[in-house]
Amino acid sequence: MKKVFIETYGCQMNQSDSEIVGAIVEKNGYELTTELEDADIIFVNTCSIRENAEQRVKNRLSQFENLKKKKPNLKVGVLGCMAERLKDDLFKENKSVDIIVGPDSYRDIPSLLDEVENGQKAASVLLSKEETYSEIIPVRLGSNGVSAFISIMRGCENFCSYCVVPFTRGKERSRDYRTILNEAKDLFEKGYREITLLGQNVNSYRWEEEGKTTNFAQLMEMIAKISPLLRVRFSTSHPKDISEELIKTIASYDNICNYIHLPVQSGSNRMLEKMNRKYTREDYMNKIEMIKKYIPDCSISTDIITGFCSETLEDHNDTLSMMEWVGYDYAFMFNYSQRPNTIAAKKFEDDIPAEEKTRRLEEIIVIQRELSHKSNIKDIGKEFEVLIEGKSKRSEDKLFGRTSQNKVVIFDKEDFKIGDYIKVKIKECTSATLIGEKVN
Ligand code: SAM
Ligand code: SF4
């Protein structure tokens, strides 16, 4: 049996896609391996979101070129967003590449592998309006047996001006809710206790059939009802679409986690318009107020892009003041990276010097560290239910788990098992972690 090694870069959606690829190759007589040295086939599932993400993959492909000198029959495949964006150019740029497969063509992998047997190259990069890999039960790669991702939709049609995703992942489409429910039930029966529903904009999940529509809030509710012991999370909400109905649904189920990732990108109305985000600073603040009204202990995280085209210090300060106003619990923060063929690349100049982007980014990171620390300090003395996910990296005698608010808590191992729920009281914290003690 030939062995396949899958290496994944980028977002949770890519992780989930690799698990679909795993299922497809296993079903077709290949074996998955976690050891690169044992592989007959290496698949790299790639990310195009920023230039440095692509650069990392290109460096890796050069390493595989050396590996192929030692192992001439080794095949290398590039999957996902870079495959879609660069298509055949990848063959020209990287001699090690044998197969190129876009995000909607994973079902073609077995036939592409047959094609490359005799030293040819093979590619499949057509985007689809329908493919959701609906009935494929993913192989859980690198799983802790407790938390799993379920992809509920694919693609994106928001066309934020800086973003490459609508070009690499194609049209937005939702997956049949029954297959999502079956996957969630199956996971629960196998002992999983937390699932994260994935999509680029989960609020626009919509399954229509015989005049009946199932929306995201209804889908969440169906999943929450599987068992009170199954935690439900989701990512990502778009601020323009997050609805009162969804927030009320989160508030009314204990097992839907009190955590919302709501990417703001910028606090400046001028930047938001240029980014084509379709909300204003004020709209965003109203959404935050709505969340806090229904779910007072909800934690909120965000994504921020710094140094977007023509961003002034005033625009930057609007982002800083937005951060302070919301008091984000966590943030993913990035320098703007121009992506070829996006609306921003065609229409605007990438005119903020790299050093200035980084200076602004560092300012943002410092503020976020303080905000995260402040948020953690507020938790000291409070009690939380924690789902145990694994062993602490720093100490053999400690375990770690997460609160509903998605905060990591470290506590003594005693005789708890991974997958147990325990109640802990928070004693101390750093800006990144809570330290707790079991209470009865
Ligand atoms: N669909 C999600 C959303 O709208 O929030 C996530 C998309 S993307 C995988 C995750 C984050 O990458 C975005 O929220 C944005 O902050 C960042 N990003 C996207 N394009 C970027 C670019 N060209 N340069 C820097 N950061 C970018
Ligand atoms: Fe990109 Fe915007 Fe779609 Fe998110 S919503 S994937 S940032 S285009």
Side-chain angles (χ1 to χ4, degrees):
M1 238 192 221
K2 287 207 169 150
K3 291 189 178 156
V4 177
F5 176 85
I6 308 178
E7 190 163 287
T8 308
Y9 292 82
C11 62
Q12 296 170 330
M13 190 64 114
N14 267 12
Q15 177 63 32
S16 169
D17 276 6
S18 289
E19 297 183 342
I20 289 167
V21 171
I24 292 171
V25 294
E26 268 195 356
K27 192 160 174 249
N28 283 276
Y30 295 87
E31 189 184 325
L32 291 170
T33 176
T34 52
E35 303 299 325
L36 181 72
E37 296 73 34
D38 293 347
D40 301 295
I41 299 145
I42 299 174
F43 283 137
V44 196
N45 193 357
T46 59
C47 172
S48 288
I49 202 86
R50 282 167 291 275
E51 197 187 344
N52 57 10
E54 288 200 350
Q55 199 48 53
R56 219 170 300 140
V57 169
K58 286 181 180 169
N59 295 344
R60 193 68 174 138
L61 291 173
S62 317
Q63 291 173 6
F64 295 153
E65 219 169 301
N66 293 332
L67 207 61
K68 279 180 112 175
K69 286 182 192 140
K70 290 184 221 144
K71 222 174 162 181
N73 290 331
L74 179 71
K75 303 291 175 203
V76 174
V78 177
L79 314 181
C81 289
M82 271 175 85
E84 196 60 54
R85 196 179 85 71
L86 297 165
K87 302 190 174 62
D88 288 7
D89 285 351
L90 274 170
F91 289 137
K92 290 177 216 147
E93 285 175 21
N94 303 275
K95 287 195 204 80
S96 65
V97 180
D98 302 287
I99 306 175
I100 295 171
V101 198
D104 288 343
S105 304
Y106 298 143
R107 288 181 203 265
D108 294 343
I109 287 176
S111 60
L112 295 169
L113 283 171
D114 290 343
E115 272 182 55
V116 299
E117 268 294 283
N118 307 319
Q120 282 149 289
K121 309 254 173 194
S124 179
V125 290
L126 272 190
L127 287 171
S128 153
K129 287 184 190 145
E130 285 100 31
E131 180 63 274
T132 58
Y133 302 107
S134 208
E135 83 300 346
I136 294 177
I137 298 281
V139 173
R140 307 292 162 186
L141 299 170
S143 163
N144 59 3
V146 177
S147 318
F149 297 126
I150 302 185
S151 208
I152 64 163
M153 56 202 298
R154 302 183 70 82
C156 180
E157 283 167 54
N158 283 315
F159 289 96
C160 300
S161 62
Y162 50 80
C163 186
V164 79
V165 171
F167 304 94
T168 59
R169 288 190 161 267
K171 286 210 168 293
E172 183 182 281
R173 66 221 99 120
S174 297
R175 177 177 167 191
D176 185 338
Y177 69 90
R178 283 162 296 215
T179 65
I180 301 171
L181 264 179
N182 285 344
E183 196 175 324
K185 282 181 192 158
D186 180 59
L187 284 167
F188 182 69
E189 278 157 21
K190 288 182 173 142
Y192 285 81
R193 291 295 173 260
E194 180 182 83
I195 55 170
T196 304
L197 305 177
L198 296 181
Q200 296 299 348
N201 179 10
V202 289
N203 309 105
S204 46
Y205 174 86
R206 198 159 292 273
W207 182 259
E208 281 171 36
E209 201 173 278
E210 291 168 2
K212 187 178 164 277
T213 305
T214 305
N215 67 18
F216 184 59
Q218 290 159 337
L219 174 70
M220 286 271 279
E221 188 157 20
M222 285 191 264
I223 294 176
K225 281 180 176 163
I226 292 174
S227 165
L229 289 178
L230 182 67
R231 277 185 173 180
V232 191
R233 301 186 184 276
F234 60 94
S235 187
T236 300
S237 295
H238 194 300
K240 77 180 163 61
D241 296 320
I242 190 165
S243 66
E244 190 163 11
E245 183 193 9
L246 176 67
I247 295 167
K248 282 181 171 171
T249 308
I250 300 171
S252 51
Y253 286 86
D254 282 346
N255 58 332
I256 303 184
C257 291
N258 290 351
Y259 166 59
I260 298 179
H261 181 61
L262 202 63
V264 67
Q265 314 299 359
S266 169
S268 147
N269 276 335
R270 197 176 70 85
M271 286 295 104
L272 288 171
E273 196 181 341
K274 228 171 162 168
M275 288 174 165
N276 193 28
R277 289 291 285 177
K278 302 190 183 84
Y279 54 83
T280 61
R281 177 183 173 92
E282 294 71 29
D283 296 334
Y284 186 90
M285 288 168 135
N286 288 338
K287 295 283 165 103
I288 297 286
E289 277 177 344
M290 186 160 78
I291 294 170
K292 298 269 179 192
K293 177 175 139 200
Y294 289 110
I295 321 168
D297 66 342
C298 193
S299 71
I300 297 171
S301 64
T302 200
D303 292 346
I304 295 172
I305 297 178
T306 187
F308 186 57
C309 312
S310 85
E311 186 189 68
T312 61
L313 282 181
E314 200 182 335
D315 297 318
H316 172 61
N317 286 336
D318 284 346
T319 301
L320 303 184
S321 70
M322 177 65 106
M323 293 174 74
E324 298 274 7
W325 184 85
V326 179
Y328 290 114
D329 297 277
Y330 191 78
F332 299 89
M333 300 154 281
F334 314 103
N335 273 349
Y336 169 58
S337 163
Q338 188 181 64
R339 308 311 294 130
N341 294 324
T342 54
I343 300 157
K346 286 182 182 159
K347 280 176 63 177
F348 313 128
E349 200 186 332
D350 180 14
D351 55 355
I352 310 299
E355 317 78 69
E356 178 58 10
K357 282 182 187 167
T358 301
R359 191 198 66 75
R360 293 180 195 178
L361 182 63
E362 277 164 6
E363 219 173 338
I364 284 173
I365 292 170
V366 168
I367 291 189
Q368 187 50 50
R369 201 174 300 133
E370 284 164 13
L371 290 174
S372 300
H373 200 193
K374 255 192 222 165
S375 153
N376 284 353
I377 289 170
K378 272 198 228 149
D379 289 340
I380 293 177
K382 289 188 195 159
E383 291 178 7
F384 293 93
E385 185 171 62
V386 168
L387 173 61
I388 305 179
E389 285 184 30
K391 289 180 190 155
S392 159
K393 278 189 202 132
R394 296 233 176 113
S395 160
E396 277 286 300
D397 310 322
K398 308 260 182 204
L399 294 173
F400 82 94
R402 254 170 237 270
T403 64
S404 169
Q405 288 77 5
N406 206 33
K407 290 191 182 178
V408 172
V409 188
I410 311 275
F411 47 88
D412 285 341
K413 191 162 139 194
E414 299 185 28
D415 48 6
F416 305 125
K417 292 192 304 299
I418 292 170
D420 284 350
Y421 283 101
I422 63 161
K423 199 171 232 186
V424 296
K425 185 169 185 166
I426 306 305
K427 296 286 175 189
E428 294 169 60
C429 72
T430 66
S431 63
T433 326
L434 301 174
I435 296 133
E437 207 173 74
K438 173 160 191 331
V439 286
N440 294 316

